[in-house]
PDB file of all heavy atoms in Angstrom:
ATOM      1  N   CYS A  25      91.548 100.846 118.852  1.00 97.00           N
ATOM      2  CA  CYS A  25      90.108 100.572 118.611  1.00 97.00           C
ATOM      3  C   CYS A  25      89.985  99.238 117.999  1.00 97.00           C
ATOM      4  O   CYS A  25      90.540  98.952 116.893  1.00 97.00           O
ATOM      5  CB  CYS A  25      89.503 101.690 117.740  1.00 97.00           C
ATOM      6  SG  CYS A  25      87.799 101.309 117.242  1.00 97.00           S
ATOM      7  N   GLU A  26      89.238  98.301 118.621  1.00 95.00           N
ATOM      8  CA  GLU A  26      89.149  96.985 118.141  1.00 95.00           C
ATOM      9  C   GLU A  26      88.391  96.889 116.836  1.00 95.00           C
ATOM     10  O   GLU A  26      88.678  96.054 115.977  1.00 95.00           O
ATOM     11  CB  GLU A  26      88.417  96.167 119.137  1.00 95.00           C
ATOM     12  CG  GLU A  26      89.134  95.930 120.467  1.00 95.00           C
ATOM     13  CD  GLU A  26      90.225  94.794 120.360  1.00 95.00           C
ATOM     14  OE1 GLU A  26      91.033  94.827 119.402  1.00 95.00           O
ATOM     15  OE2 GLU A  26      90.227  93.889 121.151  1.00 95.00           O
ATOM     16  N   ARG A  27      87.465  97.842 116.549  1.00 95.00           N
ATOM     17  CA  ARG A  27      86.685  97.789 115.303  1.00 95.00           C
ATOM     18  C   ARG A  27      87.497  98.338 114.131  1.00 95.00           C
ATOM     19  O   ARG A  27      87.559  97.739 113.084  1.00 95.00           O
ATOM     20  CB  ARG A  27      85.458  98.621 115.462  1.00 95.00           C
ATOM     21  CG  ARG A  27      84.464  98.611 114.220  1.00 95.00           C
ATOM     22  CD  ARG A  27      83.247  99.353 114.437  1.00 95.00           C
ATOM     23  NE  ARG A  27      83.528 100.823 114.488  1.00 95.00           N
ATOM     24  CZ  ARG A  27      83.680 101.588 113.468  1.00 95.00           C
ATOM     25  NH1 ARG A  27      83.653 101.083 112.210  1.00 95.00           N
ATOM     26  NH2 ARG A  27      83.958 102.860 113.617  1.00 95.00           N
ATOM     27  N   THR A  28      88.151  99.486 114.282  1.00 97.00           N
ATOM     28  CA  THR A  28      88.821 100.095 113.171  1.00 97.00           C
ATOM     29  C   THR A  28      90.275  99.786 113.038  1.00 97.00           C
ATOM     30  O   THR A  28      90.902 100.122 112.020  1.00 97.00           O
ATOM     31  CB  THR A  28      88.649 101.670 113.312  1.00 97.00           C
ATOM     32  OG1 THR A  28      89.371 102.106 114.430  1.00 97.00           O
ATOM     33  CG2 THR A  28      87.195 102.064 113.359  1.00 97.00           C
ATOM     34  N   LYS A  29      90.900  99.271 114.122  1.00 97.00           N
ATOM     35  CA  LYS A  29      92.284  98.978 114.225  1.00 97.00           C
ATOM     36  C   LYS A  29      93.157 100.277 114.161  1.00 97.00           C
ATOM     37  O   LYS A  29      94.360 100.248 113.909  1.00 97.00           O
ATOM     38  CB  LYS A  29      92.712  98.045 113.141  1.00 97.00           C
ATOM     39  CG  LYS A  29      91.969  96.695 113.181  1.00 97.00           C
ATOM     40  CD  LYS A  29      92.130  96.018 114.500  1.00 97.00           C
ATOM     41  CE  LYS A  29      91.309  94.711 114.558  1.00 97.00           C
ATOM     42  NZ  LYS A  29      91.372  94.102 115.955  1.00 97.00           N
ATOM     43  N   GLU A  30      92.510 101.442 114.386  1.00 98.00           N
ATOM     44  CA  GLU A  30      93.260 102.696 114.569  1.00 98.00           C
ATOM     45  C   GLU A  30      93.904 102.729 115.949  1.00 98.00           C
ATOM     46  O   GLU A  30      93.292 102.169 116.940  1.00 98.00           O
ATOM     47  CB  GLU A  30      92.387 103.901 114.393  1.00 98.00           C
ATOM     48  CG  GLU A  30      91.902 104.045 112.898  1.00 98.00           C
ATOM     49  CD  GLU A  30      91.045 105.302 112.676  1.00 98.00           C
ATOM     50  OE1 GLU A  30      90.647 105.905 113.670  1.00 98.00           O
ATOM     51  OE2 GLU A  30      90.843 105.671 111.494  1.00 98.00           O
ATOM     52  N   ALA A  31      94.994 103.391 116.085  1.00 98.00           N
ATOM     53  CA  ALA A  31      95.740 103.414 117.322  1.00 98.00           C
ATOM     54  C   ALA A  31      96.409 104.710 117.618  1.00 98.00           C
ATOM     55  O   ALA A  31      96.738 105.431 116.700  1.00 98.00           O
ATOM     56  CB  ALA A  31      96.776 102.270 117.361  1.00 98.00           C
ATOM     57  N   ALA A  32      96.691 104.971 118.857  1.00 98.00           N
ATOM     58  CA  ALA A  32      97.537 106.101 119.232  1.00 98.00           C
ATOM     59  C   ALA A  32      98.675 105.466 120.123  1.00 98.00           C
ATOM     60  O   ALA A  32      98.459 104.588 120.906  1.00 98.00           O
ATOM     61  CB  ALA A  32      96.702 107.088 120.130  1.00 98.00           C
ATOM     62  N   VAL A  33      99.823 106.146 119.984  1.00 98.00           N
ATOM     63  CA  VAL A  33     100.968 105.773 120.789  1.00 98.00           C
ATOM     64  C   VAL A  33     101.129 106.939 121.820  1.00 98.00           C
ATOM     65  O   VAL A  33     101.420 108.076 121.428  1.00 98.00           O
ATOM     66  CB  VAL A  33     102.245 105.557 119.989  1.00 98.00           C
ATOM     67  CG1 VAL A  33     103.372 105.155 120.869  1.00 98.00           C
ATOM     68  CG2 VAL A  33     102.006 104.437 118.912  1.00 98.00           C
ATOM     69  N   ILE A  34     101.110 106.633 123.121  1.00 98.00           N
ATOM     70  CA  ILE A  34     101.271 107.594 124.115  1.00 98.00           C
ATOM     71  C   ILE A  34     102.650 107.475 124.760  1.00 98.00           C
ATOM     72  O   ILE A  34     103.003 106.391 125.234  1.00 98.00           O
ATOM     73  CB  ILE A  34     100.157 107.453 125.248  1.00 98.00           C
ATOM     74  CG1 ILE A  34      98.755 107.619 124.633  1.00 98.00           C
ATOM     75  CG2 ILE A  34     100.388 108.504 126.368  1.00 98.00           C
ATOM     76  CD1 ILE A  34      97.673 107.283 125.577  1.00 98.00           C
ATOM     77  N   ASP A  35     103.390 108.547 124.666  1.00 98.00           N
ATOM     78  CA  ASP A  35     104.689 108.633 125.290  1.00 98.00           C
ATOM     79  C   ASP A  35     105.766 107.615 124.761  1.00 98.00           C
ATOM     80  O   ASP A  35     106.192 106.766 125.588  1.00 98.00           O
ATOM     81  CB  ASP A  35     104.600 108.627 126.810  1.00 98.00           C
ATOM     82  CG  ASP A  35     104.015 109.904 127.409  1.00 98.00           C
ATOM     83  OD1 ASP A  35     104.065 110.880 126.687  1.00 98.00           O
ATOM     84  OD2 ASP A  35     103.631 109.890 128.519  1.00 98.00           O
ATOM     85  N   PRO A  36     106.019 107.577 123.499  1.00 98.00           N
ATOM     86  CA  PRO A  36     107.149 106.697 123.032  1.00 98.00           C
ATOM     87  C   PRO A  36     108.511 107.242 123.400  1.00 98.00           C
ATOM     88  O   PRO A  36     109.119 107.968 122.585  1.00 98.00           O
ATOM     89  CB  PRO A  36     106.916 106.642 121.522  1.00 98.00           C
ATOM     90  CG  PRO A  36     106.306 108.023 121.219  1.00 98.00           C
ATOM     91  CD  PRO A  36     105.503 108.405 122.374  1.00 98.00           C
ATOM     92  N   GLY A  37     108.941 106.926 124.585  1.00 97.00           N
ATOM     93  CA  GLY A  37     110.177 107.561 125.076  1.00 97.00           C
ATOM     94  C   GLY A  37     111.419 106.974 124.550  1.00 97.00           C
ATOM     95  O   GLY A  37     112.469 107.634 124.558  1.00 97.00           O
ATOM     96  N   ALA A  38     111.404 105.710 124.131  1.00 97.00           N
ATOM     97  CA  ALA A  38     112.641 105.015 123.668  1.00 97.00           C
ATOM     98  C   ALA A  38     112.195 103.664 123.116  1.00 97.00           C
ATOM     99  O   ALA A  38     111.059 103.391 122.993  1.00 97.00           O
ATOM    100  CB  ALA A  38     113.635 104.830 124.802  1.00 97.00           C
ATOM    101  N   ASN A  39     113.246 102.900 122.710  1.00 97.00           N
ATOM    102  CA  ASN A  39     112.949 101.501 122.191  1.00 97.00           C
ATOM    103  C   ASN A  39     111.954 101.514 121.043  1.00 97.00           C
ATOM    104  O   ASN A  39     110.948 100.769 121.130  1.00 97.00           O
ATOM    105  CB  ASN A  39     112.528 100.631 123.338  1.00 97.00           C
ATOM    106  CG  ASN A  39     113.453 100.617 124.516  1.00 97.00           C
ATOM    107  OD1 ASN A  39     113.170 101.156 125.617  1.00 97.00           O
ATOM    108  ND2 ASN A  39     114.677 100.088 124.314  1.00 97.00           N
ATOM    109  N   ALA A  40     112.203 102.314 120.052  1.00 98.00           N
ATOM    110  CA  ALA A  40     111.261 102.405 118.960  1.00 98.00           C
ATOM    111  C   ALA A  40     110.948 101.041 118.245  1.00 98.00           C
ATOM    112  O   ALA A  40     109.808 100.802 117.943  1.00 98.00           O
ATOM    113  CB  ALA A  40     111.735 103.351 117.928  1.00 98.00           C
ATOM    114  N   LYS A  41     112.008 100.202 118.155  1.00 98.00           N
ATOM    115  CA  LYS A  41     111.741  98.952 117.494  1.00 98.00           C
ATOM    116  C   LYS A  41     110.688  98.063 118.280  1.00 98.00           C
ATOM    117  O   LYS A  41     109.861  97.430 117.647  1.00 98.00           O
ATOM    118  CB  LYS A  41     113.030  98.170 117.269  1.00 98.00           C
ATOM    119  CG  LYS A  41     112.830  96.838 116.508  1.00 98.00           C
ATOM    120  CD  LYS A  41     114.115  96.073 116.318  1.00 98.00           C
ATOM    121  CE  LYS A  41     113.884  94.804 115.519  1.00 98.00           C
ATOM    122  NZ  LYS A  41     112.833  93.890 116.007  1.00 98.00           N
ATOM    123  N   ALA A  42     110.878  98.066 119.568  1.00 98.00           N
ATOM    124  CA  ALA A  42     109.915  97.250 120.342  1.00 98.00           C
ATOM    125  C   ALA A  42     108.536  97.829 120.258  1.00 98.00           C
ATOM    126  O   ALA A  42     107.565  97.067 120.202  1.00 98.00           O
ATOM    127  CB  ALA A  42     110.401  97.263 121.828  1.00 98.00           C
ATOM    128  N   ILE A  43     108.456  99.177 120.266  1.00 98.00           N
ATOM    129  CA  ILE A  43     107.055  99.806 120.081  1.00 98.00           C
ATOM    130  C   ILE A  43     106.473  99.480 118.738  1.00 98.00           C
ATOM    131  O   ILE A  43     105.322  99.066 118.623  1.00 98.00           O
ATOM    132  CB  ILE A  43     107.211 101.319 120.226  1.00 98.00           C
ATOM    133  CG1 ILE A  43     107.596 101.620 121.635  1.00 98.00           C
ATOM    134  CG2 ILE A  43     105.835 101.987 119.942  1.00 98.00           C
ATOM    135  CD1 ILE A  43     107.976 103.165 121.867  1.00 98.00           C
ATOM    136  N   LEU A  44     107.262  99.541 117.670  1.00 98.00           N
ATOM    137  CA  LEU A  44     106.739  99.232 116.324  1.00 98.00           C
ATOM    138  C   LEU A  44     106.386  97.756 116.193  1.00 98.00           C
ATOM    139  O   LEU A  44     105.390  97.367 115.503  1.00 98.00           O
ATOM    140  CB  LEU A  44     107.810  99.636 115.289  1.00 98.00           C
ATOM    141  CG  LEU A  44     108.062 101.113 115.120  1.00 98.00           C
ATOM    142  CD1 LEU A  44     109.280 101.371 114.277  1.00 98.00           C
ATOM    143  CD2 LEU A  44     106.804 101.816 114.534  1.00 98.00           C
ATOM    144  N   ASP A  45     107.142  96.907 116.860  1.00 97.00           N
ATOM    145  CA  ASP A  45     106.792  95.460 116.746  1.00 97.00           C
ATOM    146  C   ASP A  45     105.457  95.271 117.500  1.00 97.00           C
ATOM    147  O   ASP A  45     104.617  94.424 116.988  1.00 97.00           O
ATOM    148  CB  ASP A  45     107.880  94.604 117.539  1.00 97.00           C
ATOM    149  CG  ASP A  45     109.126  94.511 116.731  1.00 97.00           C
ATOM    150  OD1 ASP A  45     109.142  94.838 115.487  1.00 97.00           O
ATOM    151  OD2 ASP A  45     110.170  94.082 117.230  1.00 97.00           O
ATOM    152  N   LYS A  46     105.199  95.980 118.580  1.00 97.00           N
ATOM    153  CA  LYS A  46     103.928  95.832 119.280  1.00 97.00           C
ATOM    154  C   LYS A  46     102.819  96.454 118.458  1.00 97.00           C
ATOM    155  O   LYS A  46     101.649  95.890 118.470  1.00 97.00           O
ATOM    156  CB  LYS A  46     104.037  96.459 120.614  1.00 97.00           C
ATOM    157  CG  LYS A  46     102.793  96.344 121.556  1.00 97.00           C
ATOM    158  CD  LYS A  46     102.691  94.884 122.013  1.00 97.00           C
ATOM    159  CE  LYS A  46     103.746  94.494 122.991  1.00 97.00           C
ATOM    160  NZ  LYS A  46     103.461  93.185 123.657  1.00 97.00           N
ATOM    161  N   ILE A  47     103.057  97.475 117.687  1.00 97.00           N
ATOM    162  CA  ILE A  47     102.059  98.069 116.871  1.00 97.00           C
ATOM    163  C   ILE A  47     101.592  97.107 115.792  1.00 97.00           C
ATOM    164  O   ILE A  47     100.399  97.033 115.544  1.00 97.00           O
ATOM    165  CB  ILE A  47     102.556  99.406 116.203  1.00 97.00           C
ATOM    166  CG1 ILE A  47     102.734 100.466 117.288  1.00 97.00           C
ATOM    167  CG2 ILE A  47     101.665  99.929 115.146  1.00 97.00           C
ATOM    168  CD1 ILE A  47     103.465 101.689 116.848  1.00 97.00           C
ATOM    169  N   GLY A  48     102.486  96.444 115.215  1.00 95.00           N
ATOM    170  CA  GLY A  48     102.103  95.423 114.150  1.00 95.00           C
ATOM    171  C   GLY A  48     101.356  96.104 113.074  1.00 95.00           C
ATOM    172  O   GLY A  48     101.827  96.977 112.458  1.00 95.00           O
ATOM    173  N   ASP A  49     100.171  95.488 112.755  1.00 95.00           N
ATOM    174  CA  ASP A  49      99.340  95.968 111.641  1.00 95.00           C
ATOM    175  C   ASP A  49      98.448  97.111 111.960  1.00 95.00           C
ATOM    176  O   ASP A  49      97.538  97.486 111.167  1.00 95.00           O
ATOM    177  CB  ASP A  49      98.534  94.817 111.047  1.00 95.00           C
ATOM    178  CG  ASP A  49      99.486  93.742 110.468  1.00 95.00           C
ATOM    179  OD1 ASP A  49     100.559  94.084 109.970  1.00 95.00           O
ATOM    180  OD2 ASP A  49      99.120  92.558 110.545  1.00 95.00           O
ATOM    181  N   LEU A  50      98.467  97.608 113.189  1.00 98.00           N
ATOM    182  CA  LEU A  50      97.560  98.699 113.560  1.00 98.00           C
ATOM    183  C   LEU A  50      97.882  99.937 112.729  1.00 98.00           C
ATOM    184  O   LEU A  50      99.020 100.176 112.379  1.00 98.00           O
ATOM    185  CB  LEU A  50      97.700  99.060 115.076  1.00 98.00           C
ATOM    186  CG  LEU A  50      97.287  97.933 116.064  1.00 98.00           C
ATOM    187  CD1 LEU A  50      97.659  98.292 117.426  1.00 98.00           C
ATOM    188  CD2 LEU A  50      95.698  97.711 116.005  1.00 98.00           C
ATOM    189  N   LYS A  51      96.840 100.795 112.517  1.00 98.00           N
ATOM    190  CA  LYS A  51      97.047 102.074 111.845  1.00 98.00           C
ATOM    191  C   LYS A  51      97.164 103.132 112.865  1.00 98.00           C
ATOM    192  O   LYS A  51      96.239 103.579 113.464  1.00 98.00           O
ATOM    193  CB  LYS A  51      95.847 102.316 110.962  1.00 98.00           C
ATOM    194  CG  LYS A  51      95.950 103.673 110.209  1.00 98.00           C
ATOM    195  CD  LYS A  51      94.721 103.942 109.382  1.00 98.00           C
ATOM    196  CE  LYS A  51      94.859 105.283 108.653  1.00 98.00           C
ATOM    197  NZ  LYS A  51      93.658 105.571 107.843  1.00 98.00           N
ATOM    198  N   VAL A  52      98.383 103.541 113.074  1.00 98.00           N
ATOM    199  CA  VAL A  52      98.669 104.602 114.150  1.00 98.00           C
ATOM    200  C   VAL A  52      98.323 105.975 113.502  1.00 98.00           C
ATOM    201  O   VAL A  52      98.817 106.389 112.408  1.00 98.00           O
ATOM    202  CB  VAL A  52     100.100 104.592 114.481  1.00 98.00           C
ATOM    203  CG1 VAL A  52     100.475 105.754 115.486  1.00 98.00           C
ATOM    204  CG2 VAL A  52     100.545 103.343 115.132  1.00 98.00           C
ATOM    205  N   ILE A  53      97.444 106.639 114.164  1.00 98.00           N
ATOM    206  CA  ILE A  53      96.965 107.964 113.603  1.00 98.00           C
ATOM    207  C   ILE A  53      97.311 109.084 114.616  1.00 98.00           C
ATOM    208  O   ILE A  53      97.071 110.289 114.271  1.00 98.00           O
ATOM    209  CB  ILE A  53      95.394 107.997 113.472  1.00 98.00           C
ATOM    210  CG1 ILE A  53      94.697 107.792 114.756  1.00 98.00           C
ATOM    211  CG2 ILE A  53      95.030 106.933 112.488  1.00 98.00           C
ATOM    212  CD1 ILE A  53      93.193 107.996 114.627  1.00 98.00           C
ATOM    213  N   ALA A  54      98.051 108.760 115.696  1.00 98.00           N
ATOM    214  CA  ALA A  54      98.534 109.780 116.593  1.00 98.00           C
ATOM    215  C   ALA A  54      99.672 109.362 117.455  1.00 98.00           C
ATOM    216  O   ALA A  54      99.630 108.183 117.970  1.00 98.00           O
ATOM    217  CB  ALA A  54      97.397 110.389 117.390  1.00 98.00           C
ATOM    218  N   ILE A  55     100.614 110.185 117.629  1.00 98.00           N
ATOM    219  CA  ILE A  55     101.628 110.059 118.725  1.00 98.00           C
ATOM    220  C   ILE A  55     101.373 111.189 119.662  1.00 98.00           C
ATOM    221  O   ILE A  55     101.405 112.378 119.307  1.00 98.00           O
ATOM    222  CB  ILE A  55     103.120 110.216 118.201  1.00 98.00           C
ATOM    223  CG1 ILE A  55     103.427 109.116 117.166  1.00 98.00           C
ATOM    224  CG2 ILE A  55     104.108 110.191 119.303  1.00 98.00           C
ATOM    225  CD1 ILE A  55     104.688 109.423 116.397  1.00 98.00           C
ATOM    226  N   ILE A  56     101.081 110.795 120.929  1.00 98.00           N
ATOM    227  CA  ILE A  56     100.570 111.792 121.900  1.00 98.00           C
ATOM    228  C   ILE A  56     101.679 111.870 123.013  1.00 98.00           C
ATOM    229  O   ILE A  56     101.927 110.752 123.634  1.00 98.00           O
ATOM    230  CB  ILE A  56      99.175 111.465 122.542  1.00 98.00           C
ATOM    231  CG1 ILE A  56      98.192 111.241 121.371  1.00 98.00           C
ATOM    232  CG2 ILE A  56      98.860 112.621 123.416  1.00 98.00           C
ATOM    233  CD1 ILE A  56      96.863 110.833 121.910  1.00 98.00           C
ATOM    234  N   ASN A  57     102.256 113.038 123.262  1.00 98.00           N
ATOM    235  CA  ASN A  57     103.223 113.173 124.388  1.00 98.00           C
ATOM    236  C   ASN A  57     102.439 113.869 125.554  1.00 98.00           C
ATOM    237  O   ASN A  57     101.940 114.911 125.342  1.00 98.00           O
ATOM    238  CB  ASN A  57     104.352 114.048 123.927  1.00 98.00           C
ATOM    239  CG  ASN A  57     105.179 113.452 122.827  1.00 98.00           C
ATOM    240  OD1 ASN A  57     105.524 114.073 121.850  1.00 98.00           O
ATOM    241  ND2 ASN A  57     105.556 112.187 122.933  1.00 98.00           N
ATOM    242  N   THR A  58     102.491 113.207 126.694  1.00 98.00           N
ATOM    243  CA  THR A  58     101.811 113.826 127.883  1.00 98.00           C
ATOM    244  C   THR A  58     102.583 115.063 128.386  1.00 98.00           C
ATOM    245  O   THR A  58     101.961 115.903 129.055  1.00 98.00           O
ATOM    246  CB  THR A  58     101.598 112.813 129.016  1.00 98.00           C
ATOM    247  OG1 THR A  58     102.916 112.366 129.391  1.00 98.00           O
ATOM    248  CG2 THR A  58     100.771 111.626 128.506  1.00 98.00           C
ATOM    249  N   HIS A  59     103.845 115.129 128.069  1.00 98.00           N
ATOM    250  CA  HIS A  59     104.627 116.298 128.317  1.00 98.00           C
ATOM    251  C   HIS A  59     105.934 116.240 127.478  1.00 98.00           C
ATOM    252  O   HIS A  59     106.187 115.220 126.795  1.00 98.00           O
ATOM    253  CB  HIS A  59     104.862 116.548 129.715  1.00 98.00           C
ATOM    254  CG  HIS A  59     105.664 115.397 130.427  1.00 98.00           C
ATOM    255  ND1 HIS A  59     105.097 114.141 130.624  1.00 98.00           N
ATOM    256  CD2 HIS A  59     106.929 115.357 130.889  1.00 98.00           C
ATOM    257  CE1 HIS A  59     105.989 113.364 131.302  1.00 98.00           C
ATOM    258  NE2 HIS A  59     107.144 114.089 131.394  1.00 98.00           N
TER     259      HIS A  59
END
């Protein structure tokens, strides 16, 4: 969300460091697995 900087990560299947680098300063409030 551009206003609140809250975020969800959908299907973090691997490469956690790359995902966390992309997250940066966002506040992740959910990891959602589609299956």
Side-chain angles (χ1 to χ4, degrees):
C25 171
E26 293 280 52
R27 182 181 67 84
T28 65
K29 303 304 179 185
E30 292 183 345
V33 180
I34 300 173
D35 288 343
N39 304 112
K41 183 180 185 305
I43 296 171
L44 291 170
D45 287 346
K46 185 68 72 171
I47 288 169
D49 295 331
L50 294 172
K51 180 183 178 183
V52 178
I53 62 172
I55 298 166
I56 308 174
N57 298 133
T58 60
H59 61 289

